[in-house]
Each structure stands twice: as C-alpha cells, then as structure tokens.
Amino acid sequence: MSTVRRAALVLTTLSAALALTACGPAEDDAAGGTVTATPAGPSTASSEPPSKPSKPSAPSTSSGGGSSADYDVFPCSTFDVTFTASLAEPTTSSYLLKVTNKGTKACRALGHPVVTFGDLDGAATERGAAPGIEDALRLEPGESAYAGLMGGADDGKGRTVGSIAMTMNTESDLEQTPLTASTPDLYVSPDINSVTPWVNNVEDALSL
C-alpha cells in the first residue's frame, strides 16, 4: 500500500472518531439517559378531613289509617246526611237529634247543629264547647252523630212548636236545604233553649 493511501485511510478513521465523539452527548440527552428531573415540591393537597355523607331522609310516617291528618275530608252538609229528632225528656222538652252519613265518602260533623223552631225567629243557643275543624267528629258512610236539643221547661214566656229545621255547620257560605223533623208539643223558652255540639254517642248528647 502506498504512503498516500495509508495516510488517507488514517485521516478518514480519525474524522469518523471525532464525529462520533461530538454527537454522543447530544444523542444521550435526546434519549433521556442523562436528564435530571426537577424534584417535586411539597404536596399542596388540603389537610381537611373528608366531608361526612349526608344522612338518609327519615321515612314517611303517614299511613292510610286514622292517624293521617284527613285534610281531604270535608264538613258534612244537609246534602250528605239524614236527620231525625226523638223525644228524650218531656218536662224539659229535650230531644235527641241524630244525623247519619248517607253518602259514599267520609265527612265531618262540625260544631253545633243550627236548629230553628217552626215559625219562631232565631236559632237554638249553642251549649258547650265544640272541637276545631281538624278534630271534629268524622263520619264514615253509615255512621251517625248525636246532639241534645232542649226547649226548656214551661216558664210562661215561650211557645209550643210542632217541628224544627236543621242545617249543618260547614264554616262556609254553602247554601243548604234545611232538614225538618216533627217535634209534637215542643215547648221553646226564649231564655233556656239550647243545643249541644255533635258527639258520637247518645249519653253524651243528652248530658252535656
């Protein structure tokens, strides 16, 4: 081999070695072998405890029985009931009044019955306290309520009537058709006559 060719070969080999040396670090950096990661700072997550789960809703206590509020049960009117009057005590002209729910739905007998005496002016005086509308007597179909009507002993001030008329207290402006009952020889004193609130038994109606 000539001296010129040997020298050229040496130069070529040396050039290749220098090129590899120059490119080595950059390629290593590109491959990620010598990259140093920046250390992460302290965690910034909140140290507060996790919120508590919400409490489950309380189960409903309403039921389909008699414990419900019954706000959909309306007052009884004369369109919902039948009416009778029976002599209970003649010396005080006391009569037992009775209404019976003739409908297909429950209704409430509110307060006192509104009773008028034949062709006399005015109505019977209310006697005794009556429960409020929410506690008023509930009448299922076929059930009855009772009230005591007293005309009073003959004091020479009143008159005798042969019939009475009754309407129900509905706490509204509902126009009702009065229900009538025969009351032979019912003496009505202007100072003593009275009527009790509706109750669910005969004894209370005549003793209030």
Side-chain angles (χ1 to χ4, degrees):
M1 182 181 293
S2 65
T3 302
V4 175
R5 291 181 64 186
R6 185 180 296 113
L9 180 59
V10 171
L11 290 174
T12 299
T13 303
L14 180 61
S15 297
L18 290 174
L20 289 173
T21 302
C23 294
E27 291 175 355
D28 288 342
D29 289 343
T34 59
V35 176
T36 302
T38 303
S43 173
T44 59
S46 173
S47 61
E48 296 181 1
S51 60
K52 296 180 180 180
S54 59
K55 294 181 179 180
S57 301
S60 173
T61 58
S62 63
S63 66
S67 62
S68 63
D70 293 337
Y71 292 114
D72 59 339
V73 179
F74 295 98
C76 302
S77 73
T78 56
F79 303 109
D80 304 310
V81 299
T82 59
F83 171 60
T84 61
S86 304
L87 181 64
E89 212 291 304
T91 58
T92 56
S93 290
S94 294
Y95 275 77
L96 176 68
L97 310 184
K98 176 184 177 181
V99 290
T100 302
N101 183 354
K102 67 177 183 179
T104 58
K105 295 182 179 180
C107 63
R108 291 192 180 277
L110 301 188
H112 299 71
V114 181
V115 180
T116 56
F117 302 100
D119 59 353
L120 298 181
D121 293 332
T125 303
E126 294 181 355
R127 181 173 84 247
I133 185 170
E134 292 182 6
D135 298 316
L137 186 60
R138 172 177 173 146
L139 299 182
E140 297 292 341
E143 291 185 339
S144 300
Y146 306 90
L149 174 69
M150 184 176 70
D154 189 346
D155 56 5
K157 299 179 182 179
R159 285 177 50 191
T160 299
V161 297
S163 66
I164 58 174
M166 188 278 302
T167 55
M168 302 292 290
N169 179 1
T170 62
E171 293 192 358
S172 71
D173 56 359
L174 174 68
E175 292 188 10
Q176 302 177 65
T177 300
L179 301 178
T180 60
S182 175
T183 55
D185 300 322
L186 169 61
Y187 182 83
V188 182
S189 168
D191 301 327
I192 305 176
N193 73 83
S194 61
V195 66
T196 70
W198 294 114
V199 293
N200 63 0
N201 65 86
V202 173
E203 289 76 16
D204 286 345
L206 296 177
S207 62
L208 289 177

